[in-house]
Amino acid sequence: MPVLPSVNIKPKTPIINESNQIVITCSGSGEPIPTVSWDTQYLTSPFNITSRDEGSTVDLIITSANASDSGWLTCSARSVAGKTSDTMLLRVNCKIYII
């Protein structure tokens, strides 16, 4: 019998400094195994997405974070049983320039 997918995001509320790299992992579970994806439409910095475990685990790698990337990111898991999403809050500290 199909089981509605669930998602788990780690880290859930990271705080990083501008131009740093971060890896955020989203894992999906359920029956059958769901396909997981990130909504990256609001990211302005370069990023990569890597998938493993037959698509049920996806890493979002922001290679050089910008303060404008701060905000909510959504990860979704989808299977024939349905779709589930969860959000996480990314905080990117601005660089301070001393004149």
Side-chain angles (χ1 to χ4, degrees), residues 35-87:
T35 301
V36 175
S37 62
W38 281 103
D39 178 357
T40 57
Q41 67 181 347
Y42 298 111
L43 289 178
T44 60
S45 296
F47 66 89
N48 295 307
I49 294 178
T50 59
S51 177
R52 52 194 156 93
D53 302 329
E54 299 178 14
S56 67
T57 301
V58 178
D59 295 323
L60 171 61
I61 305 157
I62 302 172
T63 54
S64 182
N66 187 297
S68 64
D69 295 319
S70 293
W72 294 97
L73 294 172
T74 302
C75 177
S76 300
R78 180 186 307 264
S79 73
V80 296
K83 179 182 175 185
T84 305
S85 298
D86 196 8
T87 58

Side-chain angles (χ1 to χ4, degrees), residues 21-41:
Q21 176 175 304
I22 184 167
V23 178
I24 308 166
T25 301
C26 183
S27 302
S29 60
E31 185 62 40
I33 296 173
T35 301
V36 175
S37 62
W38 281 103
D39 178 357
T40 57
Q41 67 181 347

